[in-house]
Structure formats: C-alpha cells, structure tokens
Amino acid sequence: MTPPRTPQIPVVVLAGFLGSGKTTLLNHLLRNRAGTRIGVIVNDFGAIEIDAMTVSGQVGSTVSLGNGCLCCAVDASELDTFLETLTRPSARLDVIVIEASGLAEPQELVRMLLASDNPHILYGGLVEVVDAAEFDRTRQRHPEIDRHLAVADLVVLNKTDRVGEAERERLRAAVAELSGPAAVISAVHGRIDPELLFDPALRPDHEDKVRQLTFEDLLREEKPDGHEGHADHLHASYESVDFTSDIPMDPRRFMEFLDSRPDGLYRIKGFADFGEGDRDHTYALHAVGRFLRFVPRPWARGEQRLTQLVMIGAGIDAAALSAGLAACRADGAERADEPGRADAAEVERAMWGVLRYVQEQAPEPEVFDAHGTADPREAAAEA
C-alpha cells in the first residue's frame, strides 16, 4: 500500500560549480517529471529556458532571480516570501527545486531552508553536481568544492562519458571520500531518475480537458534511438529497499538504526508503528542524508497497523539494511497485540529518541478563490 502523500512540499537545493551540468539536470527533471508539478527558483546565470518558464503560463510557480546568486542576494525572510508564493494551494506544486548559482555557498541555502518558519515546506536535500571531466581542475581553481561536497546529501558525478572506466572509478572514490556519508551516483547529460529526488505524482497531469502548456510540453523533444522509456536504465545507478512489518518497531533500536545508517543511504520514507510507545498514532518518517523528521498522525479507523518503509541509496547493502530493520522489531512484551506487558516507564523513555525529531503536521491549507484571495466564507465552512 502506498502511504498517503504528505501535505508538506519538499524543497531540493541543486548546486554545483559553473559548467557542472546543473541546468542540464534540471531540464531533464522537467522533461521527465511524469505529471509531477515542479516549482523552480533559479537565477539567470544559468542557461535554463527562462522564456519557456514565462510562456508556460504557470503563474506563481517560478521565481527568477537575476541580481546575483541566491544565497548572497536573498536573506532568509526574502526566501520565505518566495516559498510562500510557491506553496499556495492554488499553485498545486509537488516539489520545489532551487537551482543555485555556480558560485553559491550551498550550506547557506540549506541553513535558510532549515530556518524557515513556513510550515508547508520540508527540506528535500542538497544535490551537488560534479563535472567528472573537470573535477581535478575545478578543485584547483575552487578548493571550496571540498566544503560543498562535505555537506551534500547526494552527489551526481556528471559527464562520466567523457572519462575512461579507470578514471571514473578514481573520481568516484575521490568524491566519496570528500562527501562522507552522501550517496554518489554517476550520470551522463544530467540524466538521473527523478524518483531519487521526489515521489511521482499520484494524479494524472492531463486531468483537465483544457490546460495551459507545461514545462514538459515545452521542453519535450524526440529522444534518440535507444533512449525510449526506461532504456537508459536510470534506476541502475541506485538501489531501493522495501520493508514491511506487522510487528511494531522498538523505538530505541529503531533510532539506533537511523543514527548509524550507512554511507550511501540517501532517502528513507514511509510510516513506523511503535506499538506500546504510542498506540494512538502512526509516524510518517522523512529522512534525506542526515536530516530526519517524524510526523505523527492518528490511526484511521480499521487501518492495518504496519511499518512500511522504503530506503533509497547508492552502494548500499540491501540485505544488511533489511536485516537491520528486522532486528529493530519489538519482541514479545512490546508487541501491539499484547498491551500492558511492557514496562511503561521504559517505553516512554525509549520514545523520547523519536519525539526529539517530531514535527507537527502542517496546518490545513486556506481556501482560495479564483483571484488567489482567501475566501472567509469557504474557510468558515471548512471549520
């Protein structure tokens, strides 16, 4: 069963030095979004089709910043203003991508997002794009790339078709050493599987009989022979591990697992059942890189009490991850079908490890009229 979508919109930071292929990767995402509505905050230093954004007719879904790199030209309060525009219910966006200038300090962008008080956004990770053919020369000219890689959640080693196999392996090892726990994947022409960054939309993009042109319409082009559908095997650069259990998770063991998750494990998403730890709620889990959040919600009437998780990464040991999660399941006295047997004080203490990462659910969106203004009558009716 697919978990219901969170009302919070993930915000992904796309960074990398000039010429690394950020814009190519972003355009690839726009062409292959499969119905997912993407909002873009971008500066004009890149070569993304700004005119195409303008004629797409998606009013309020794009913000173009031409007065310098985002992290220098916009402080946290201004970024919040842009994000407020993109997260209005009328925009109906599924994900927001910030394409940083090639000279940006990505950790500043991440700091701004984490400091934002917008309850409708969720940090979606820092993706650092690296030019494989120019990596060594880029490090000589811009030694700060080491610092950028150290804070990345996902590294895309781009343009790997321009280097030989031995050189590619050397570069992967060098980048992996600098980026620590981040997942490292190889790419050509910025082609990565969009599902690495965001979940596909659950509704068809052609739900309206008459609609405005979208990014996908404007950027669509005929693919060369041999590149139709999944012929590129974009998913081959990473692994996905599913885990389902009808036995509740022991909160202490589960948090130990999350705190020690292996290098290369980029995303974890799903729901966790903590049994006696909280019999009234299931906990939506969102992890990207080292970032972790839980959002509790009440169990629906008749809902089957399961833990359902999906883990995505590169170079991960799928069997070891599955075994590690299986070992986190509560044993006898802590199972949901045997209430009251576990020591209540011990269970409460164990849950504190989970609760320190809890984020309250985003409030219900306001009801907007055709002009984007909140309609107090409908809002009152909703109340």
Side-chain angles (χ1 to χ4, degrees), residues 321-332:
L321 285 174
S322 296
L325 281 173
C328 295
R329 292 180 294 189
D331 45 32

Side-chain angles (χ1 to χ4, degrees), residues 110-124:
V110 173
R111 180 189 60 79
M112 290 179 188
L113 291 175
L114 295 179
S116 172
D117 59 1
N118 186 330
H120 301 291
I121 66 169
L122 189 66
Y123 177 59

Side-chain angles (χ1 to χ4, degrees), residues 9-341:
I9 301 174
V11 182
V12 178
V13 178
L14 183 60
F17 281 91
L18 295 170
S20 61
K22 299 188 306 298
T23 300
T24 302
L25 191 154
L26 179 55
N27 283 331
H28 165 75
L29 295 178
L30 296 176
R31 290 188 184 99
N32 297 276
R33 60 191 181 83
T36 300
R37 293 190 173 98
I38 305 175
V40 179
I41 298 177
V42 63
N43 61 44
D44 282 342
F45 290 162
I48 192 168
E49 293 89 332
I50 297 297
D51 290 341
M53 290 182 178
T54 304
V55 301
S56 69
Q58 298 191 29
V59 178
S61 66
T62 61
V63 178
S64 175
L65 304 173
N67 58 341
C69 59
L70 181 59
C71 69
C72 297
V74 181
D75 63 24
S77 62
E78 291 172 319
L79 181 60
D80 277 341
T81 300
F82 294 131
L83 292 173
E84 184 64 31
T85 299
L86 295 176
T87 55
R88 288 175 179 170
S90 56
R92 298 190 301 164
L93 295 178
D94 300 297
V95 64
I96 296 170
V97 178
I98 300 177
E99 187 200 6
S101 157
L103 302 178
E105 285 292 339
Q107 61 266 41
E108 288 302 307
L109 291 172
V110 173
R111 180 189 60 79
M112 290 179 188
L113 291 175
L114 295 179
S116 172
D117 59 1
N118 186 330
H120 301 291
I121 66 169
L122 189 66
Y123 177 59
L126 169 60
V127 181
E128 183 78 15
V129 184
V130 173
D131 183 341
E134 297 291 329
F135 178 66
D136 292 329
R137 284 183 288 271
T138 300
R139 286 188 75 193
Q140 290 176 359
R141 293 192 305 269
H142 302 286
E144 60 269 29
I145 191 175
D146 291 9
R147 184 173 67 251
H148 296 183
L149 287 169
V151 297
D153 299 301
L154 173 69
V155 179
V156 178
L157 186 61
N158 197 26
K159 305 183 184 181
T160 53
D161 57 322
R162 297 177 56 190
V163 299
E165 183 176 353
E167 177 67 357
R168 185 163 56 247
E169 291 305 312
R170 182 190 72 83
L171 290 169
R172 279 185 60 88
V175 168
E177 183 177 359
L178 293 169
S179 59
V184 180
I185 62 172
S186 299
V188 176
H189 302 303
R191 293 196 297 263
I192 66 172
D193 193 327
E195 289 194 41
L196 268 170
L197 305 184
F198 49 80
D199 298 333
L202 299 182
R203 41 154 171 66
D205 193 44
H206 302 279
E207 56 193 8
D208 300 322
K209 293 182 179 178
V210 179
R211 64 184 178 85
Q212 294 172 316
L213 290 176
T214 66
F215 287 132
E216 197 168 21
D217 298 321
L218 293 161
L219 298 179
R220 185 181 290 117
E221 61 184 10
E222 291 187 7
K223 298 180 181 180
D225 293 340
H227 290 267
E228 292 296 330
H230 285 277
D232 284 335
H233 299 292
L234 300 178
H235 58 279
S237 61
Y238 69 93
E239 293 179 89
S240 179
V241 181
D242 296 336
F243 176 83
T244 300
S245 174
D246 59 359
I247 300 174
M249 307 299 281
D250 176 273
R252 177 171 285 113
R253 294 179 205 156
F254 189 52
M255 290 310 302
E256 289 174 352
F257 172 86
L258 293 176
D259 288 341
S260 61
R261 51 193 186 272
D263 293 356
L265 183 55
Y266 173 55
R267 291 181 69 197
I268 308 177
K269 56 184 180 178
F271 289 82
D273 171 20
F274 291 111
E276 285 291 282
D278 187 345
R279 292 185 55 78
D280 297 326
H281 296 87
T282 180
Y283 284 73
L285 183 158
H286 168 79
V288 55
R290 297 290 117 180
F291 178 84
L292 174 64
R293 280 290 182 271
F294 287 103
V295 180
R297 68 161 175 83
W299 289 103
R301 180 176 299 176
E303 180 179 359
Q304 187 177 7
R305 300 196 172 212
L306 296 174
T307 292
Q308 296 175 295
L309 300 170
V310 178
M311 296 166 286
I312 300 172
I316 57 177
D317 186 334
L321 285 174
S322 296
L325 281 173
C328 295
R329 292 180 294 189
D331 45 32
E334 298 159 306
R335 295 187 182 186
D337 56 356
E338 301 181 46
R341 291 184 55 187

